Structures are given as structure tokens and as C-alpha cells.
Amino acid sequence: MSKKHANIPIFIPHLGCPNDCVFCNQRTISGHGDFKIEDVRREIEEALATISADTSTEIAFFGGSFTGIERSLMVSLLKLAQEYVDAGRVESIRLSTRPDYINDEILAILSRFAVKTVELGLQSLDDRVLSASKRGHDSACAITACRAVKAAGFELIGQMMIGLPLSDAENEIMTARMICEAGADGARVYPTVVFNDTELADMSRRGIYKPLGLEDAVERTKNVLDVFDRAGVPCIRVGLCASENLADASKAIAGANHSAIGELAMSRLYFERICEELDKRQIHGGGVTLYVSRGSTSKAVGQKKQNKVKICEKYGLKWLKVLEKNQVLGYNIIIEHSVDFDS
């Protein structure tokens, strides 16, 4: 059995990033308005005290554009993290940054330390969307950065957003495909949430931008999850996490701000995959046993067992069992059909 994994997140709020994307209020999102390097060691020690020894642990610099901060500060933080790697207390270092803050010099610096993973905030690979979101770079810059990260020997995580200005289901699917083609080892998907004190909030109030409703956000997130899964690129996160003030209504004012949006999108993808397989095998009536990947039972069954109920009704099934199997990966499923009506 593989070891458990844990990140020790160190948030670097908006340091080093002069850009003002329409959706970004990084001080709000990270919840860390003031950053003090002297607090970093304390945060790491406090986190390590809660993590068991059999866990694969890494220090992760999140929340800002890590490679864009003042160079001496970046190196100081890397040296601090490296102390914990050298002492055997953590295994590696992870960081997130912008694609326009990746170059040969930066990658050479990162290579001196135990940096394993670089997460790039790509958001979209459609130039119209990037321009409307005021990202400050184009898709060519993003693809070049992806390839440079991979060529330097780092794992690449591509972060993308759903529901940005001028974005639609088609260019989001295109973005997911391009992330896969760029060699990503994993992905994160963030349905757009409108935060206070952002240009996007003002655009929403003036009717220039229409935030995604939950239904559209779930459907469009499901679309890109399907792309990533078929390409063998795991999606390690959907939606903001609790440390990003997800539930604070005073900060998140619109958009798909739902604590279970990832589960909803994953369940919808399972529903489609199951129906696709049942249709292919022309199954109707009797009973069905579904085998899914480890930890995926609740996603396959659906919230409040909605998937299970709808599938039984659609295919006239008397019963439907969902079991987990080590050999099943991603959203793949194995189906066993029985004409025996007894479960």
C-alpha cells in the first residue's frame, strides 16, 4: 500500500506578483494578509507535530507567485525548506507560480534544492480568455513554461479555471487537452469564485460578467475531468480548499462556491461512464455489480445515492452493487451483469 501524503502549505500572499488578474485577491484567498518569514519555521514545526511518521510529506509554497518574489527571499525560503529535507523530516518541496515567472535562471535555482513539483497557474490556454482575465501573458508563454519545467526534470501540475470571462465549455476542454499534451503529471481545476475587492466582482455587479451557476460549473468541470482521466492525468483537486476561505460569504460573493463541487462533478462523470458501458453492453434488467477504483464508491453511487437510483430506473435493474477493486484506475469501471434477480 502506498504511503499517505501530506502537504505543509506555506502561503505567500501576492508577493512578487505585480499583476492584477480580474479574479484575484490573493490576500483574501489565502487568508494571509501579512507574511513574515520568521513565522514559516513555526508553521512547519506545528504542522509536522500533527503528521504521522509514515506519511510522505512535502513543504508547499502556495498562494502567490513563488518564483516572482524577491530573489533573496525565495532562496531563503528554499534553504529553510531544504533543512527539513536534509534532516529527513520532509521528502520534498512543492511550489506554485505563474508561467511568465519561469525561465532558465529560475529553474537552475530550483534545481539546487529538493524541489519535486512545480504547479503552474495556467488558468486558460485560450488567448481571448487570458486577455479578458488580464493575466498578462499569452498561451504561447504558458506552453513554453510547461515544457521548460518538464525538461528541467520537475513534475508539472497544470492549474486551470472554469468559467472565466469569455470562457466556455469548448475552450475549457481545449485547455485541458493542451495541459495533457504539454506533459502535465497532474491537474487542479478551479471553478471561478467571485471574491470581494476584485475587478471580477465589479464586472459582476455591472452585468459585464455573469458568474457560473452551480449546475453549469458542475457540468463544465465534469467535461475537463473526463479529458484528464482519459489522458491518464490525475486531477488532484477540484475547487478551493477550506484554508482558502471557501465558506466565508463576506469574501466569496458569487460563482460556484460549493464545498462539494468536486464530488458533484466526479459523480456526474461516473454516471456518464456507467451509462456508456451499460449502453455498450445493451444491459437491461437483472442486477449489476460495478467495480470502481479505491475510494470511489461514494462518487459512483452519487450524493444521496442519486446515481444508483437513476441508473436502476433507466436500465430496469433490480439491484446495483458498487465495490472497489485495486486493479481499477481513474474513472474506469468493470461491470458484471447477472440475470439473477436476487442480490
Side-chain angles (χ1 to χ4, degrees):
M1 183 177 293
S2 60
K3 292 173 68 175
K4 293 180 291 182
H5 178 84
N7 284 337
I8 299 175
I10 304 297
F11 290 98
I12 316 291
H14 217 62
L15 295 175
C17 183
N19 211 63
D20 284 315
C21 303
V22 297
F23 54 81
C24 183
N25 180 338
Q26 198 64 59
R27 293 179 181 84
T28 294
I29 295 172
S30 69
H32 289 60
D34 298 310
F35 176 78
K36 297 177 181 177
I37 190 169
E38 55 266 30
D39 293 335
V40 173
R41 190 180 297 275
R42 174 184 54 79
E43 291 185 36
I44 294 172
E45 291 292 345
E46 289 176 354
L48 283 172
T50 68
I51 297 172
S52 61
D54 62 344
T55 301
S56 172
T57 305
E58 63 185 351
I59 294 172
F61 294 108
F62 287 147
S65 299
F66 184 74
T67 60
I69 66 178
E70 198 272 321
R71 193 58 48 85
S72 63
L73 175 58
M74 182 183 81
V75 172
S76 294
L77 289 167
L78 288 169
K79 285 181 177 178
L80 175 58
Q82 188 68 38
E83 288 181 30
Y84 287 89
V85 176
D86 292 342
R89 301 181 69 189
V90 304
E91 291 190 4
S92 59
I93 303 167
R94 172 185 293 252
L95 59 94
S96 64
T97 192
R98 291 168 53 96
D100 49 347
Y101 292 154
I102 289 293
N103 56 43
D104 290 342
E105 179 200 6
I106 286 169
L107 291 171
I109 293 172
L110 300 183
S111 296
R112 289 162 34 198
F113 300 92
V115 175
K116 180 180 179 183
T117 305
V118 175
E119 302 203 15
L120 290 181
L122 306 170
Q123 319 315 3
S124 174
L125 292 173
D126 183 291
D127 285 333
R128 291 172 62 251
V129 176
L130 291 171
S131 178
S133 302
K134 296 187 177 179
R135 280 296 285 167
H137 64 79
D138 61 11
S139 59
C141 170
I143 294 299
T144 297
C146 289
R147 291 174 177 161
V149 166
K150 289 295 294 181
F154 300 108
E155 288 187 357
L156 169 67
I157 304 296
Q159 302 174 357
M160 68 171 290
M161 295 179 68
I162 301 294
L164 287 170
L166 299 187
S167 189
D168 56 32
E170 287 72 27
N171 61 47
E172 288 161 2
I173 289 171
M174 177 206 70
T175 291
R177 286 175 176 160
M178 291 177 71
I179 289 173
C180 297
E181 290 166 3
D185 299 284
R188 293 182 191 262
V189 179
Y190 297 108
T192 300
V193 175
V194 182
F195 287 94
N196 259 327
D197 303 320
T198 62
E199 187 172 346
L200 198 60
D202 183 57
M203 291 166 65
S204 300
R205 294 186 186 101
R206 291 187 289 137
I208 298 173
Y209 169 76
K210 183 179 179 182
L212 279 184
L214 180 61
E215 172 63 24
D216 283 343
V218 169
E219 178 67 16
R220 285 161 62 169
T221 299
K222 178 267 300 177
N223 290 342
V224 300
L225 290 179
D226 185 53
V227 172
F228 288 128
D229 183 67
R230 291 183 190 277
V233 176
C235 183
I236 61 176
R237 177 77 199 181
V238 176
L240 300 171
C241 61
S243 60
E244 295 168 311
N245 291 334
L246 179 67
D248 191 338
S250 70
K251 296 181 175 67
I253 61 172
N257 188 34
H258 191 290
S259 61
I261 190 165
E263 185 89 5
L264 292 171
M266 294 171 196
S267 292
R268 184 166 299 187
L269 179 53
Y270 262 113
F271 178 79
E272 290 193 359
R273 290 283 185 91
I274 294 166
C275 291
E276 181 181 304
E277 191 64 25
L278 292 172
D279 288 340
K280 187 187 305 180
R281 295 181 53 178
Q282 298 183 325
I283 289 175
H284 192 88
V288 165
T289 301
L290 295 176
Y291 293 96
V292 299
S293 60
R294 286 289 176 190
S296 295
T297 297
S298 63
K299 302 180 188 76
V301 169
Q303 286 202 327
K304 299 179 181 179
K305 300 184 178 180
Q306 287 183 353
N307 283 359
K308 188 172 183 177
V309 170
K310 288 194 293 184
I311 289 167
C312 285
E313 289 177 352
K314 182 176 181 179
Y315 295 94
L317 303 180
K318 296 298 183 181
W319 52 266
L320 174 65
K321 294 179 184 177
V322 179
L323 303 175
E324 296 179 4
K325 204 168 196 175
N326 287 331
Q327 296 91 327
V328 182
L329 302 176
Y331 292 85
N332 293 311
I333 54 173
I334 296 174
I335 289 181
E336 291 181 357
H337 183 220
S338 173
V339 293
D340 182 1
F341 286 175
D342 295 326
S343 60

